[in-house]
């Protein structure tokens, strides 16, 4: 069965058919989806979605890009005061359907102020520890600073859409982290991702879509959804010399262990 550890079904790209599509997923082999918030509004909506669909779980947190995205509650309602916003996210972490803090992380691809995003991530790592929850981490072009914070706080969680080297993957797994693999594992230039995927211990990889983004080959460029993880499992299976069924089974077991969910 497919366990999608990282999705954004609240994206406007699902506005026309969200309920219909989500309802169709269990029939396509999907057993669980973690919907990630990126600000207070989407974290609340993710929790609501998780109460509506029995196979959906939620993550609540603030994405670094939300600090500069005018469409987020971080900018539109809190005028960048992420501390105030995080105070309102905190009660969501007591909701049994909220299984992680995130999506949080560091992003140097977009011009997000450096100090603010470092402080924001650190605050969320502390919050996750206080609530004994894993974190869903976004690391875009910020490996050095991310690894420094991981060393300092030693969180439980997933580095999502893993894009680093095989050596870094080994180090991260030695820290106890899980690595999330998605559509990029199927792309034509996936050699580096697959090298990393092949060195991750069997207990520490999970699968994800990051939908609506990152649709795998042969659907690249189209809208992604959790059922397409089947293609990712095939790519990772061939890199690891095993079957897609085995990859799906192991990644589901890993995700359940990480999020504390029974089979
Ligand atoms: Zn994401």
């Amino acid at each position: 069965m497919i366990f999608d550890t990282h999705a954004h079904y609240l994206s406007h790209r699902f506005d026309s058919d969200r309920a219909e599509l989500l309802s169709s997923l269990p029939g396509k082999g999907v057993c669980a989806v973690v919907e990630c918030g990126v600000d207070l509004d989407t974290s609340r909506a993710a929790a609501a979605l998780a109460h509506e669909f029995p196979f959906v779980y939620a993550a609540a947190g603030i994405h670094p890009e939300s600090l500069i995205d005018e469409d987020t509650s971080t900018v539109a309602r809190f005028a960048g005061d992420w501390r105030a916003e995080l105070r309102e996210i905190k009660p969501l972490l007591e909701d049994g359907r909220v299984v992680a803090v995130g999506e949080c992380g560091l992003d140097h691809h977009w011009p997000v102020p450096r100090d603010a995003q470092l402080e924001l991530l650190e605050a969320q790592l502390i919050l996750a520890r206080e609530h004994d929850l894993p974190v869903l981490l976004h690391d875009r072009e910020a490996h050095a600073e991310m690894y420094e914070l991981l060393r300092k706080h030693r969180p439980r969680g997933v580095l999502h859409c893993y894009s680093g080297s095989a050596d870094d993957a080994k180090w991260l797994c030695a820290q106890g982290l899980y690595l999330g693999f998605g559509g990029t594992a199927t792309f034509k230039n996936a050699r580096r991702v697959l090298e990393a995927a092949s060195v991750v211990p069997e207990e520490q990889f999970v699968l994800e879509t990051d939908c609506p983004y990152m649709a795998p080959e042969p659907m690249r460029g189209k809208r992604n959804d959790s059922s397409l993880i089947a293609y990712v499992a095939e790519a990772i299976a061939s890199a690891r010399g095993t079957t897609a069924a085995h990859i799906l089974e192991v990644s589901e077991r890993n995700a359940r262990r990480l999020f504390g969910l029974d089979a």
Side-chain angles (χ1 to χ4, degrees):
M1 295 287 272
I2 291 170
F3 194 125
D4 183 354
T5 58
H6 193 114
H8 298 279
Y9 284 105
L10 292 165
S11 159
H12 68 87
R13 290 179 66 190
F14 294 106
D15 282 352
S16 62
D17 63 346
R18 182 174 298 106
E20 199 186 328
L21 175 67
L22 282 169
S23 304
S24 78
L25 291 178
K28 297 173 185 165
V30 177
C31 64
V33 169
V34 177
E35 173 71 16
C36 302
V38 296
D39 61 5
L40 173 64
D41 287 357
T42 51
S43 296
R44 279 184 179 152
L49 210 62
H51 282 278
E52 193 181 338
F53 294 90
F55 64 95
V56 175
Y57 300 89
I62 306 176
H63 193 289
E65 266 177 70
S66 297
L67 291 169
I68 56 165
D69 180 347
E70 287 169 14
D71 293 334
T72 61
S73 50
T74 316
V75 173
R77 291 206 285 118
F78 290 89
D81 185 355
W82 57 263
R83 287 183 180 83
E85 188 173 32
L86 217 46
R87 275 196 293 278
E88 292 200 37
I89 285 179
K90 214 172 157 176
L92 287 174
L93 304 179
E94 305 290 340
D95 183 324
R97 304 292 297 177
V98 175
V99 297
V101 171
E103 175 175 0
C104 55
L106 300 173
D107 195 310
H108 293 327
H109 182 77
W110 301 105
V112 184
R114 208 177 193 89
D115 290 348
Q117 57 172 322
L118 283 168
E119 287 172 10
L120 170 59
L121 173 57
E122 225 172 345
Q124 292 181 95
L125 293 175
I126 292 166
L127 205 55
R129 165 70 44 95
E130 285 170 2
H131 290 262
D132 194 22
L133 288 172
V135 284
L136 299 181
L137 294 165
H138 168 100
D139 170 6
R140 193 162 185 199
E141 298 166 25
H143 298 336
E145 283 168 324
M146 175 61 77
Y147 297 171
E148 201 180 307
L149 283 181
L150 294 178
R151 226 178 258 122
K152 183 172 168 192
H153 291 280
R154 306 192 57 97
R156 293 194 297 129
V158 182
L159 212 60
H160 110 89
C161 195
Y162 182 69
S163 62
S165 67
D167 280 345
D168 283 6
K170 286 183 200 161
W171 180 80
L172 290 159
C173 290
Q175 309 301 302
L177 289 158
Y178 291 66
L179 302 186
F181 294 95
T184 57
T186 68
F187 293 174
K188 289 198 170 53
N189 58 354
R191 194 182 54 85
R192 189 177 147 96
V193 175
L194 289 175
E195 253 171 46
S198 63
V199 302
V200 176
E202 185 157 287
E203 303 75 36
Q204 284 174 280
F205 67 80
V206 292
L207 302 180
E208 63 171 59
T209 52
D210 205 17
C211 67
Y213 318 106
M214 298 287 175
E217 292 286 2
M219 312 298 270
R220 189 171 182 182
K222 303 214 170 77
R223 188 180 75 171
N224 198 2
D225 72 62
S226 307
S227 68
L228 302 183
I229 279 182
Y231 295 108
V232 178
E234 273 171 36
I236 291 184
S238 57
R240 293 178 68 97
T242 179
T243 63
H246 180 70
I247 292 296
L248 288 174
E249 185 194 320
V250 169
S251 58
E252 179 191 344
R253 197 188 312 142
N254 292 344
R256 289 191 185 282
R257 183 189 322 115
L258 176 68
F259 296 119
L261 302 171
D262 296 331

